[in-house]
């Protein structure tokens, strides 16, 4: 019945809608593409249903046959298709999940325990660069790599504070503020948002003028899936130099990694804004005669400038790394986008559009650190879990804060954890088969618990794009007060403001998931 309803709506809407003439974004529901409902709507019996569903699932745990599947997948080719999908979902009691890139640690964009459909934005990925205005309109289904590539094709003097992975969808990245490698210079990705286009619960198409500043504020960090279907963003571009410089140094505990890590904690958030220096703690085979495992800490830097200028900066601030001029590699900004993807994720990128690693990944968690910690304690925790679980794929990714990101007020976006944090810790574990899942989840939780006394509390801080359902979940008609158990960890005092705007724009709580913003009518 829902299929018939959506099909009828797609074929019957006859109003030509033009939203932003200057961006060439227009919708004509009577076009040939709009009437091709077999390409827009996939049922579970459709020949391409399974391949499309699985194509953007990056967390392979959710490929398990026991994971609930959507009743329908809608792949809109224009805004009218989204309007129809929302209208018919409301009529027939189907929950809506919205997917742009698929990098979703908890799978909330494509998994639900109640009847649901996916609005997959895979066809909405156009990018329009206005180099004179130093801005871009990018549809939410495009990836960060596609956005960066489009910018670089237009100008080698402009860039964007993207994330560390080019296959992340623009829609999800921008709606939860978005960290990358040049945010210390220019701020977070959401800090660059100028405008947005979205379809609300009533099928209205909104831009900044129509939605107002409160809703725009909400979706720039509060998670767009709580408020509607965001279809496009207008962002400002940032200047990048002709050359950037990168380096990577890895040390084991036997090679002095503990002292280097201690030094990194004291300086990484204070370095000049042009330098991003993060560290990754993991496990490797020991070179000692006794063999076994050892902890290795990698220090990876990206500098907006030349190697000649970076060398004295590193010698003055972190001479202990022992870097020389030949330790550095110069490249263009767009080349660094590809480099960091290969380095951080350790698999080859065949193109900027999409590629899926053949691994399983646990949801990644992040906590924020307000003071320095012992590398020995972190190292023992990682090593203990790796040995217990017989895995070398346990990592802590430590991202330094500071710079321009911390200079911007915590009230500019819903992300409040700007000033006062020195770095964030992302916990990751990888494995190869579903049979190993319970063991590795247990091991990750042990590691997480082991470090808990040394990180943020009152409240414990978290970052929405590394969603963690262990913090708490909505259960049916969860109230605002009940949802505060997890909401204040992501948003602190902003959670109340998010809930008030939710009550205004989606009072029936149609856009619901396990950690969606609930409406507050206080």
């Amino acid at each position: 019945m829902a299929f018939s309803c959506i099909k009828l709506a797609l074929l019957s809407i006859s109003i030509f809608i033009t939203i932003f003439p200057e961006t060439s974004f227009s919708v004509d529901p009577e076009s040939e593409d709009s009437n091709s409902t077999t390409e827009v709507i996939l049922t579970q019996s459709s020949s391409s249903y399974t391949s499309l569903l699985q194509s953007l699932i990056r967390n392979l745990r959710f490929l398990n046959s026991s994971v609930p599947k959507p009743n329908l997948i809608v792949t809109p080719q224009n805004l009218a298709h989204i309007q129809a999908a929302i209208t018919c979902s409301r009529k027939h009691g189907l929950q809506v999940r919205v997917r742009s890139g698929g990098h979703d640690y908890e799978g909330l964009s494509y998994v639900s325990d109640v009847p649901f459909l996916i609005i997959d934005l895979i066809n909405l990925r156009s990018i329009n660069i206005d180099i004179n205005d130093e801005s871009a309109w990018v549809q939410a289904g495009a990836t960060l790599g596609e956005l960066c590539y489009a910018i670089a094709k237009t100008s080698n003097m402009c860039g964007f504070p993207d994330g560390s992975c080019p296959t992340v969808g623009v829609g999800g990245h921008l709606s939860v503020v978005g960290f990358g490698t040049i945010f210390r210079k220019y701020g977070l990705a959401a800090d660059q948002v100028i405008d947005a286009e979205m379809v609300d619960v009533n099928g209205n198409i909104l831009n900044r003028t129509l939605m107002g500043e409160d809703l725009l504020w909400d979706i720039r960090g509060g998670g767009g899936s709580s408020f509607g279907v965001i279809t496009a963003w207008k962002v400002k571009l940032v200047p990048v130099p002709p050359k950037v410089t990168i380096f990577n140094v890895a040390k084991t505990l036997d090679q002095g990694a503990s002292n280097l890590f201690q030094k990194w904690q004291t300086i990484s958030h204070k370095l000049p804004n042009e330098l991003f220096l993060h560290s990754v703690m993991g496990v490797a085979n020991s070179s000692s005669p006794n063999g076994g495992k050892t902890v290795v800490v990698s220090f990876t830097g990206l500098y907006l400038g030349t190697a000649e200028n970076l060398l004295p900066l590193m010698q003055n601030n972190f001479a202990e790394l022992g870097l020389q001029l030949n330790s550095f590699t110069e490249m263009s900004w767009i080349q660094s986008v590809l480099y960091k993807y290969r380095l951080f994720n350790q698999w080859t990128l065949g193109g900027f559009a999409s590629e899926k690693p053949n691994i399983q990944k646990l949801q990644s968690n992040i906590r924020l650190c307000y003071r320095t910690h012992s590398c020995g304690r972190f190292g023992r925790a990682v090593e203990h879990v790796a040995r217990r679980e017989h895995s070398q794929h346990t990592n802590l990714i430590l991202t330094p804060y500071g710079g321009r990101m911390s200079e911007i007020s915590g009230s500019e976006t819903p992300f409040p954890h700007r000033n006062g944090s020195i770095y964030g810790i992302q916990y990751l574990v990888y494995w190869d088969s579903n049979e190993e899942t319970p063991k590795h989840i247990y091991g990750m939780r042990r590691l997480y618990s082991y470090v808990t006394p040394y990180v943020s509390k009152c409240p414990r801080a978290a970052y929405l794009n590394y969603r963690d359902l262990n913090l708490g979940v909505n259960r049916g008609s969860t109230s605002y007060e009940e949802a505060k158990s997890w909401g204040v960890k992501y948003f602190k005092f902003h959670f109340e403001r998010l809930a008030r705007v939710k009550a205004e724009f989606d009072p029936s709580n149609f856009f619901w998931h396990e950690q969606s913003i609930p409406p507050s009518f206080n």
Side-chain angles (χ1 to χ4, degrees), residues 359-373:
I359 56 176
Q360 312 293 321
K361 183 184 288 185
L362 172 67
Q363 71 270 16
S364 175
N365 310 302
I366 189 167
R367 272 97 61 82
L368 308 185
C369 291
Y370 296 94
R371 57 188 175 88
T372 60
H373 304 288

Side-chain angles (χ1 to χ4, degrees), residues 20-26 125-131 133-139 142 146-147 150-151 154 232-235 237:
F20 301 110
E22 71 276 13
T23 65
S24 300
F25 287 157
S26 61
R125 56 200 315 149
S126 70
I127 301 168
N128 292 278
I129 308 294
D130 185 340
I131 204 62
D133 188 46
E134 295 184 341
S135 68
W137 268 106
V138 52
Q139 287 188 302
E146 289 171 333
L147 173 60
I151 295 170
T154 306
W233 301 87
K234 184 178 183 181
V235 297
L237 309 182

